[in-house]
Amino acid sequence: MAGIYLHIPFCKQACNYCNFHFSTSLRLKAEMIDALGKEIALQRHYLEGQTIETIYFGGGTPSLLSATELMQLWEKLENYFPQQDLKEITLEANPDDLSPAYLRALKNTPVNRLSIGIQSFHDKDLRYMNRAHNAAEADYAVKAAQDTGLDNISIDLIYGTPTMTDKEWLENIAAAVTLQVYHISSYALTVEPRTALAHAIAKGSSREPDNSQTAAQFEQLVERLGAAGYEHYEISNFALPGKYAVHNTNYWKGRHYLGLGPSAHSFNTGSRQWNIANNTTYLKSILTEGKVPFEKEVLTPEDQFNEYLMTSLRTMWGADLDHIASVFGADARTRLLAESETFTDKGWMQIEEGKMILTTAGKLFADRIASDLFR
Amino acid sequence: MKNIRNFCIIAHIDHGKSTLADRLLEHTKTISEREMQAQVLDDMDLEREKGITIKSHAIQIDHVHKGEKYTLNLIDTPGHVDFSYEVSRALAACEGALLLVDASQGIQAQTISNLYLAIDNDLEIIPVINKIDMEGAMIPEVTDQIVDLIGCKPEDIILASGKSGIGIDDILEAIIERIPSPKGDEQAPLQALIFDSVFNSFRGIIVYYRVINGTIKKNDKVKFVHTGKEYGADEVGILKLALTPKNEVKAGDVGYIITGIKNAKEVKVGDTLTLVSNPTQEAVKGFEDVKPMVFAGIFPVNTDEFEELRDCMEKLQLNDASLTFEPETSQALGFGFRCGFLGMLHMEIIQERLEREFNQTVITTVPNVSFHAYTTREKDVRIIVNNPSEMPDPSRIDRIEEPFIRAQIITLPDYIGNIMTLCLGKRGLLINQNYLTATRVELIFEMPLAEIVFDFYDKLKSSTRGYASFDYQPLDYRESDITKMDILLNGDKVDALSALIHRSRAQDFGRKLCSKLKELLPRQQFMIAIQAALGAKIVARETISAMRKDVTAKCYGGDISRKRKLLEKQKEGKKRMRQIGNVEVPQEAFLAVLKLDD
């Protein structure tokens, strides 16, 4: 089981919190599609022997691509990668791009899942985040997609925003539930370095997200979505039964993936590599030199252990002790069990049927727990 | 003897002493270019990096002048305020000194105090202005400063550049023509001044000395006058680039002796070397048993590395006799050592050597000076307090004394105000203000040494934009209102953060320390109260609110590697933390006291 990720590094405008790689100039879009097509060919062997179940168009803003441009990439993918096991083909989309016409066109592409960047159903939060859409467009986009028959929808919501009260957060959760979306990814607002948000906080024009308010809103989220029938299957991800994101689940289960486009990461257990996060350099390397510009790290058994622990503990499936014993040795399991006692005692972790699983209280400290249990 | 010249170089850090020494060695072919590592005299890595000579060395130069062969002994001197006694002994071994002044910097405090030492020892001073080919050289101004300071004629001053070799011939000529030859009696009982020693892992301790009178021969039975210990002279010789064995070293010359001594503690700089069979009646004057001035705890980061640390401290002491240590137990930090240092730089050097040469990761606690306490019951019995925990209970204390120093600061007139504010704020008393030249002012303060230990150097630097130089000598002990301040974390006393401080400064200090700790302590899942207390009285408090959430929102393909590295780093950082009650305290917190802001 493996996945392919395509990074579309363009946005109409920059959200204040975003530290992903993107450009707000669309000038190089056509060339980028050309280069992505070439990279698909260059990397055709990376996942050799793997069953490919998912393709994910992420960004940036992939909904800036026309259906025609999407099909251009699709044809390349079809040429070089087997299609028969594909289950999920996701397109990240911004609400303001999802016009009825665009949705109808998408319906004729292989895209079968939309991940819509709603973030909030309140205008003041959207303005604070410098999003390109407003609350009405958010609501409308979801309904329009559902009407078109694209009903496998995930939406993103952000909490911990200084502009948002607890009451408004509950309204946002309720709005998502009412829309009956299959999947919700909900993230705590995070101040990443070198973003407009970090700059605004540094100069005092914006407040820092409050740690305890963020924690409280996380607890509200878990509680409300649980009551509405969503499974909390990863720290920031909730799904109606069976509607887990196949693509993202791959990341947390240590499966292989190929990332295409500037800044995209690829992984095959023994190593990870990432393409250069610069559009011009990427284009030049692919188009004129025929080379993928990437850096690579070899993952030692310790790195692999640490990554397995860090990602698996985020999920409701937890870290599998038998898996750990078979891959990293019986000692690794014994040691891990001994070291995790302090967390089971605190009620942060449970061990069920050979799986170490974090409780809701433990999920609030997942980083600290993982770090303490690292080798 | 009439063809021997013993001399040293007096210079401020960075004024080019080591480079000039290199040129002298090259020019006289004492060393070939191939052997020339930049700055050969500084042979510890750390010295080369810090650009200062920590341990003094000596080297013999052969030079032919007007057809006659001369032996020039260059005795190198340590260049930092913490080592003024060692400097004085090196000077006592010489008849002359080159006074080296940077053409763009002018005279600095340290140069002046070493110059005074040299004049006290009746040394012939040869003034040299160095780096004359650098941009910003102010030859006339610096000439005036030197003339004012030592009363020489402007034409006595040699213009030089160690870097490009200008003036090297003039310097060699002046050494021979102006510095008197040593006077001494080769036939008199042996009297040699020990000015340095170094540890060699194959040969043991190598002792450097200047023979004042008499002759020392291989296989002589020798005696150190002050320690009273006797040894056999396994090897004697002179100091070329390498040790050069000789059958004897005679009055006037500089040499070394190897006796199989393994521990630097047995050799005291300033001691007199004589013969057991025919001892001198007179020790060389000026001997002092150097005492450490600053004390701090050094603890292994991992408590089980205590024995390893002891081993390393012992090895360090083999070649640094001025380092003292004894075992100490701290509730917060476990087993470690209370160490005594000559000063703050010495402390830094030891810490760095432990980390670099011995691969130890250590926690160093708040440094303090050595106080004298007297109790009401025995008013005349002095209790030496090198550690806050050794201070008797306040109810039993009759009085406390603290060490004072004489501080000498040389600066530009523009900064007099700032320096006054700084030094008076640190309980200094202005003793004298003296214009050395129109643009150079010397300020003399009497100050408590304790105030120098806390952030004085940094403050001095920032309040004068670096245009001040500082030197000090220990003065005496004076009665003082010293109190012990404790820091509590969630009610638990952190012994490693206790400090002895003057009462007038306690509240302010407590407030600053609490607020600094608030910055340095990571948030934990519960609230942390940080309190400063004098006895039972809380004088300052800060609160760190609880961390309710520690988890990354997004963890997808592009995030995993970065996140893993971040968490690995956190784990590393945590290893260096100490659990105090239920609070995790990072290493930096134990030195918070040195980094207090205003």
Side-chain angles (χ1 to χ4, degrees), chain B residues 548-567:
Chain B
R548 284 212 46 215
K549 182 173 172 295
D550 181 7
V551 54
T552 315
K554 291 191 182 189
C555 191
Y556 299 119
D559 307 310
I560 293 172
S561 186
R562 187 170 62 107
K563 193 71 207 165
R564 185 195 80 234
K565 285 168 191 157
L566 197 74
L567 296 186

Side-chain angles (χ1 to χ4, degrees), chain A residues 187-188 211 219 236-237 248 251-252 257 265 272 297 299 306-307 310 314 346 348 363-368 371-372 374, chain B residues 523-525 546-565 567-568 570-571 574 584:
Chain A
Y187 306 111
N211 182 276
E219 285 162 346
S236 302
N237 286 280
N248 290 340
Y251 293 133
W252 307 315
Y257 46 89
H265 286 54
R272 175 176 291 106
E297 66 176 343
L299 299 168
N306 291 350
E307 289 191 359
M310 181 179 87
R314 294 177 66 91
K346 272 189 179 151
W348 283 3
K363 281 175 184 148
L364 277 167
F365 293 99
D367 280 8
R368 189 225 145 126
S371 160
D372 281 1
F374 269 12
Chain B
R523 288 209 291 167
Q524 292 168 40
Q525 300 106 258
M547 158 115 101
R548 284 212 46 215
K549 182 173 172 295
D550 181 7
V551 54
T552 315
K554 291 191 182 189
C555 191
Y556 299 119
D559 307 310
I560 293 172
S561 186
R562 187 170 62 107
K563 193 71 207 165
R564 185 195 80 234
K565 285 168 191 157
L567 296 186
E568 281 169 350
Q570 271 174 28
K571 188 182 175 83
K574 220 163 176 179
E584 282 166 346

Side-chain angles (χ1 to χ4, degrees), chain A residues 275-326:
Chain A
N275 289 350
I276 191 161
N278 180 301
N279 288 359
T280 325
T281 322
Y282 171 83
L283 290 173
K284 181 165 172 272
S285 177
I286 298 269
L287 296 177
T288 66
E289 292 155 35
K291 275 197 315 213
V292 183
F294 65 87
E295 279 183 73
K296 179 174 169 172
E297 66 176 343
V298 171
L299 299 168
T300 66
E302 282 76 33
D303 295 339
Q304 293 174 25
F305 175 87
N306 291 350
E307 289 191 359
Y308 175 75
L309 203 66
M310 181 179 87
T311 51
S312 66
L313 282 178
R314 294 177 66 91
T315 69
M316 69 175 187
W317 303 289
D320 184 338
L321 293 166
D322 286 342
H323 174 79
I324 286 173
S326 78

